[in-house]
Amino acid sequence: MAKYSEFVYDYIGNAYERKNLYLRDVALLQKRIGEAASEEKAGLSKDLANLTSQKESHPYNIKLKDFNEKEKVFLKGLEDRTKEFTSSLPAGLSKEGKEFRVDLERAKLQKEFYKDYTFLTYDAKLKFDESNVILRLMPEIIETSERLENELSEAIRLKGTFSTEDENKAKLDIDDYVTEQKKAMEIAQNRLKDKKANGLISSKALKNGVQELKKEYRNNVRVKSYDSPERKNSEFIKSKRFELKDYLKVRRRVVNADIADARRNNPIEVSRTRPLYSYLSIPLPGLGQLLNGQIVKAALFFLAAIFTYVIAIPYALGFGNYQGNGIAGLITLAEGARRIDKSLIFMIEGIIAIFLLIFAVVLIILSFRDAMGVEKGMIKGIRPGNWFETKTKLGEEGFPYMVSLPALLVIVFIVLVPISTAILLSFTGMDPQNQSKFPWVGIQNYALIAGGKGLAGKVFYSIFGWTVLWTLLSTTLAIFLGFALALIANNERIKGKAFFRIVYLLPWAVPAFITIMFFSIMFSPNGILTDVIEFVFGSRFEVKNNAMLTRSVLIFMQGWLGSSYIFLLSTGVLQAIPEDLYEAAQIDGASAWQKTMKITVPLVLFQTAPLLVGQYTFNFNNFSIIYLFNGGGPFNPSVYGNLAGSTDILISYIYKLTMDNQYQSIGAAITIVISLGLMVFTFFGYRNSKAFKEERL
């Protein structure tokens, strides 16, 4: 037999003696058995068995049964008395006014009934305490709301009853007042204009002064307009309606909060010692909450059950799919399906089905954990929260999750589904011969890449080597140029700093594709720069037809384009370095080089290192400059075949594989490989930065 506790506990751990004397006797006997010597255990166990077998005849249970029967009769009579009382209320009362009076009447009857049973059960004591809360707060609420309702009714009654003579008199008075105010405003404006003419105030002060005078004029006229009896009464009605509505809303919240406090301070006693209802939430979310008495929360989790059994599971089984067959379609990839069916659609719909099932499982787990937590609390003595408590808790603790939920849904369907598709596509054989339908091929694509084999794998390492070289040289050059230009522009001996800062920012301000296309035209075989180079060196260098020259131009071009961003970052950090550091170094005899290397560089790197790491990852995938300048050329079929050019980096190589040559699966595999590599590089780059080590990130 499971053990009972001698005490029950509230939500903060306060212990209360059991009012259920039967459960207390069982708990005490179990405690004595646990502490008794072995020779005494048999007798005590027999006493415990006799006690449990005679549960119905236990004096406490007899009293509790009698109370439950009387309570049923009382509650039935209470409903009849409530209907009778409601029908006797005046017809002119508002809905809230009737509800408050009914609550007060019910509280009087409940207190009278439950006061004799507060010693017997905490449920009766809770009803008694709730009645006291209502009896303490409700009379004042009713009195105040009645006063507000009477004032509102009187104002509504007076609407349209004011004499025309009074209205006309008020209108004339208001018109005279408006004329006076307008004259006063004009006089004040003329004074301000005179001050401006005499140079005592600025144009901006004049403008602001005129605006203030007009604002004051409008406010005064608006206040005076309420001298009209009809308008004054109309505004009074609006004010009283708002005051009444707000008062009733706030006071109802106060009553609910005090009742919630009473619930928290009155534990609950249940005969269960192990959770049971919560396990029913696994097949049917919300059922555990319903059995725990949390009806509204149960209704919300029933929506999760509807989602699971009406949307997630049917979709995973293929019902409601566009072409696919749910998860089964993800496995078969449309093998043996109709000619119009496509493997890619089967894959995407299978992935969506998996995410829907994940959502369903998460909702089931949340329902189970919630029901389990409430049920364990009930066993301990913590009373389940009512809807007011649950709503308050959701508003405080659940607000971040509710706000983040739409973003999560967007991330799943806009980010995770495409990423999952790319990962799974890399394990298939989608190529020019298998576009509509393609099979699973396992790690074959990754094996081709690792071994440098196949039509696509042969050139992978050549392109990978150039990509790494391009990333390191172009990014490092941009960092060096940007930092050097920032040092120059920040030097106190440089004149016209604003001009130089504008010039250095131009490569970043002008759209990059314009600059790239400009240099692409200039370096074409008939371009101006090609002719200039021939004139200067006496020999014709066709940059776009020479792999080494094209690579060099690309590196220098990206170094210049990227330097502006680094210049901007470095300038901001340099201007924030305290001059005291340089003055102290100057006193210690440090040279300009030493001050730069020991003060400037470490401080700049500390602030910008994470962003510099991002520059390396950006240039690793800098598709636009490679594609726009020379289309990845010049082309050398003997080395790169027909799939890539001499200056193609991995990202442009993937583009040509997938878009131009339809090798989607091998392209997806390369994408996954470089993505993992970039994530590892970025992780170690961030981790080794000083800002990350000092927990600034």
Side-chain angles (χ1 to χ4, degrees):
M1 182 180 179
K3 288 188 176 182
Y4 289 94
S5 172
E6 184 180 352
F7 300 94
V8 287
Y9 302 87
D10 62 15
Y11 71 107
I12 58 174
N14 293 326
Y16 298 80
E17 290 187 359
R18 283 190 178 273
K19 291 184 180 292
N20 191 322
L21 301 182
Y22 167 74
L23 294 181
R24 189 189 68 177
D25 292 343
V26 172
L28 290 173
L29 270 176
Q30 289 176 337
K31 181 179 179 182
R32 288 176 61 190
I33 291 172
E35 297 173 351
S38 56
E39 59 271 10
E40 298 178 359
K41 287 184 182 292
L44 292 173
S45 298
K46 185 177 180 181
D47 293 341
L48 180 60
N50 291 334
L51 178 61
T52 54
S53 64
Q54 299 174 7
K55 176 181 179 181
E56 299 298 329
S57 60
H58 190 279
Y60 175 81
N61 288 332
I62 293 173
K63 292 180 181 179
L64 184 62
K65 183 178 180 181
D66 179 62
F67 162 72
N68 290 332
E69 291 175 354
K70 290 181 179 179
E71 186 181 33
K72 289 180 182 178
V73 175
F74 166 74
L75 292 176
K76 187 177 182 304
L78 180 64
E79 293 304 319
D80 295 336
R81 292 281 297 274
T82 300
K83 292 178 182 178
E84 181 182 345
F85 179 78
T86 304
S87 62
S88 67
L89 292 173
L93 282 177
S94 64
K95 179 182 176 182
E96 293 83 1
K98 289 182 179 180
E99 288 179 354
F100 285 135
R101 286 165 173 79
V102 169
D103 288 346
L104 181 60
E105 183 65 20
R106 288 175 64 93
K108 291 177 181 177
L109 297 173
Q110 285 185 165
K111 180 179 180 180
E112 188 64 26
F113 174 78
Y114 286 109
K115 69 178 182 180
D116 297 328
Y117 299 100
T118 54
F119 73 94
L120 186 66
T121 169
Y122 281 110
D123 291 339
K125 185 176 181 299
L126 173 60
K127 292 291 186 182
F128 180 78
D129 290 346
E130 287 179 348
S131 300
N132 280 332
V133 169
I134 294 174
L135 291 171
R136 174 169 53 86
L137 298 175
M138 203 59 72
E140 181 185 352
I141 297 174
I142 293 173
E143 181 183 352
T144 304
S145 63
E146 187 175 23
R147 176 178 58 80
L148 294 174
E149 286 176 348
N150 290 336
E151 292 175 355
L152 177 60
S153 299
E154 179 63 19
I156 293 174
R157 187 188 66 79
L158 292 174
K159 189 175 182 181
T161 62
F162 300 99
S163 65
T164 306
E165 183 180 350
D166 291 340
E167 282 293 324
N168 291 335
K169 183 179 179 181
K171 186 177 183 303
L172 291 173
D173 188 33
I174 292 171
D175 291 342
D176 292 341
Y177 181 80
V178 169
T179 303
E180 291 176 4
Q181 289 295 312
K182 190 175 291 186
K183 289 181 179 178
M185 181 181 67
E186 291 175 353
I187 293 171
Q189 287 178 346
N190 291 331
R191 288 175 181 171
L192 288 175
K193 291 177 182 179
D194 291 340
K195 290 183 178 180
K196 171 64 175 63
N198 296 327
L200 298 176
I201 59 174
S202 64
S203 299
K204 187 174 182 180
L206 173 63
K207 182 180 178 181
N208 292 337
V210 171
Q211 289 178 348
E212 287 295 323
L213 289 172
K214 289 180 179 179
K215 184 177 179 181
E216 184 181 0
Y217 165 76
R218 288 193 297 268
N219 289 337
N220 292 338
V221 170
R222 187 183 300 113
V223 172
K224 184 64 177 179
S225 66
Y226 294 136
D227 286 356
S228 168
E230 190 65 42
R231 180 165 185 179
K232 183 177 181 180
N233 188 64
S234 177
E235 291 297 322
F236 183 81
I237 291 173
K238 292 180 183 178
S239 174
K240 282 301 171 184
R241 280 177 175 164
F242 174 79
E243 183 181 358
L244 178 61
K245 182 180 178 181
D246 185 66
Y247 175 79
L248 295 177
K249 181 180 178 180
V250 171
R251 299 315 295 175
R252 174 61 75 181
R253 191 182 301 125
V254 170
V255 171
N256 289 336
D258 283 8
I259 289 175
D261 287 338
R263 290 178 61 84
R264 286 193 290 266
N265 293 324
N266 279 281
I268 188 172
E269 294 183 273
V270 295
S271 57
R272 299 193 307 276
T273 56
R274 290 191 180 91
L276 174 63
Y277 298 155
S278 51
Y279 292 101
L280 300 176
S281 292
I282 297 176
L284 185 61
L287 185 56
Q289 285 77 12
L290 182 63
L291 295 174
N292 286 334
Q294 297 180 300
I295 298 174
V296 180
K297 189 190 288 187
L300 293 177
F301 278 110
F302 277 138
L303 296 177
I306 293 173
F307 169 79
T308 301
Y309 292 107
V310 177
I311 299 177
I313 293 178
Y315 194 89
L317 296 175
F319 298 99
N321 286 200
Y322 169 63
Q323 278 190 0
N325 195 22
I327 295 178
L330 180 62
I331 298 172
T332 62
L333 292 181
E335 183 180 359
R338 301 171 301 172
R339 290 187 62 184
I340 62 172
D341 292 335
K342 297 183 180 297
S343 297
L344 185 59
I345 294 178
F346 273 60
M347 175 183 288
I348 293 172
E349 295 206 70
I351 293 170
I352 293 174
I354 289 176
F355 277 108
L356 291 178
L357 286 179
I358 291 173
F359 281 139
V361 170
V362 169
L363 291 173
I364 290 172
I365 292 173
L366 290 175
S367 175
F368 170 74
R369 291 185 60 183
D370 176 76
M372 177 65 76
V374 171
E375 196 168 5
K376 284 184 175 180
M378 292 172 64
I379 293 170
K380 188 179 178 182
I382 302 172
R383 191 173 294 274
N386 58 17
W387 174 236
F388 174 80
E389 295 173 272
T390 302
K391 185 170 60 174
T392 303
K393 187 175 182 180
L394 281 175
E396 295 174 354
E397 299 178 11
F399 180 75
Y401 300 100
M402 290 188 288
V403 171
S404 303
L405 185 59
L408 174 63
L409 295 176
V410 171
I411 288 173
V412 167
F413 290 102
I414 303 299
V415 178
L416 295 184
V417 169
I419 289 175
S420 302
T421 303
I423 293 173
L424 293 181
L425 197 62
S426 68
F427 294 98
T428 67
M430 190 176 184
D431 55 31
Q433 289 74 39
N434 299 281
Q435 283 292 300
S436 179
K437 291 183 174 62
F438 48 82
W440 292 105
V441 297
I443 62 171
Q444 177 180 319
N445 295 320
Y446 292 97
L448 291 175
I449 295 171
K453 300 177 182 178
L455 186 63
K458 285 182 179 179
V459 299
F460 173 77
Y461 288 103
S462 298
I463 296 175
F464 176 74
W466 156 238
T467 303
V468 173
L469 184 65
W470 145 262
T471 303
L472 293 176
L473 293 179
S474 63
T475 310
T476 304
L477 178 61
I479 293 172
F480 175 79
L481 286 176
F483 182 63
L485 293 174
L487 283 177
I488 294 172
N490 198 58
N491 194 299
E492 59 184 12
R493 290 176 292 179
I494 297 295
K495 305 298 182 182
K497 293 181 181 180
F499 170 76
F500 287 108
R501 285 171 180 162
I502 292 173
V503 172
Y504 295 155
L505 284 177
L506 283 177
W508 193 41
V510 177
F513 82 92
I514 294 178
T515 305
I516 297 168
M517 294 302 297
F518 171 79
F519 280 105
S520 176
I521 295 171
M522 294 297 102
F523 278 112
S524 63
N526 297 320
I528 295 177
L529 288 179
T530 303
D531 295 338
V532 170
I533 292 173
E534 181 181 9
F535 176 78
V536 172
F537 294 99
S539 179
R540 190 169 185 83
F541 295 96
E542 294 187 357
V543 172
K544 298 181 75 172
N545 292 327
N546 185 292
M548 182 63 68
L549 291 177
T550 303
R551 289 180 174 183
S552 301
V553 169
L554 285 170
I555 290 171
F556 283 111
M557 192 188 309
Q558 182 56 36
W560 173 243
L561 290 173
S563 65
S564 296
Y565 178 66
I566 306 301
F567 169 79
L568 188 64
L569 291 178
S570 302
T571 299
V573 178
L574 288 172
Q575 291 178 347
I577 298 177
E579 289 293 331
D580 297 348
L581 296 176
Y582 294 107
E583 292 175 1
Q586 183 73 31
I587 294 172
D588 291 339
S591 63
W593 174 256
Q594 288 175 324
K595 286 188 286 186
T596 301
M597 298 306 297
K598 298 296 183 181
I599 298 176
T600 308
V601 172
L603 288 176
V604 172
L605 286 178
F606 179 81
Q607 298 291 337
T608 62
L611 298 173
L612 298 182
V613 172
Q615 285 296 293
Y616 281 97
T617 58
F618 169 77
N619 280 331
F620 192 90
N621 287 323
N622 194 343
F623 172 82
S624 59
I625 189 170
I626 301 297
Y627 192 80
L628 292 174
F629 182 75
N630 200 17
F635 298 95
N636 187 351
S638 62
V639 178
Y640 298 99
N642 296 322
L643 298 178
S646 302
T647 58
D648 270 315
I649 59 176
L650 286 175
I651 189 66
S652 62
Y653 173 49
I654 292 170
Y655 176 82
K656 291 179 178 179
L657 277 176
T658 56
M659 302 302 294
D660 295 343
N661 297 282
Q662 296 184 325
Y663 285 98
Q664 285 89 348
S665 59
I666 190 73
I670 297 174
T671 300
I672 300 304
V673 169
I674 64 175
S675 297
L676 291 174
L678 284 176
M679 284 190 286
V680 172
F681 169 78
T682 305
F683 170 74
F684 283 105
Y686 280 143
R687 194 186 69 172
N688 292 326
S689 66
K690 191 174 180 182
F692 185 90
K693 291 178 180 178
E694 295 186 6
E695 299 182 353
R696 298 292 182 91
L697 293 177

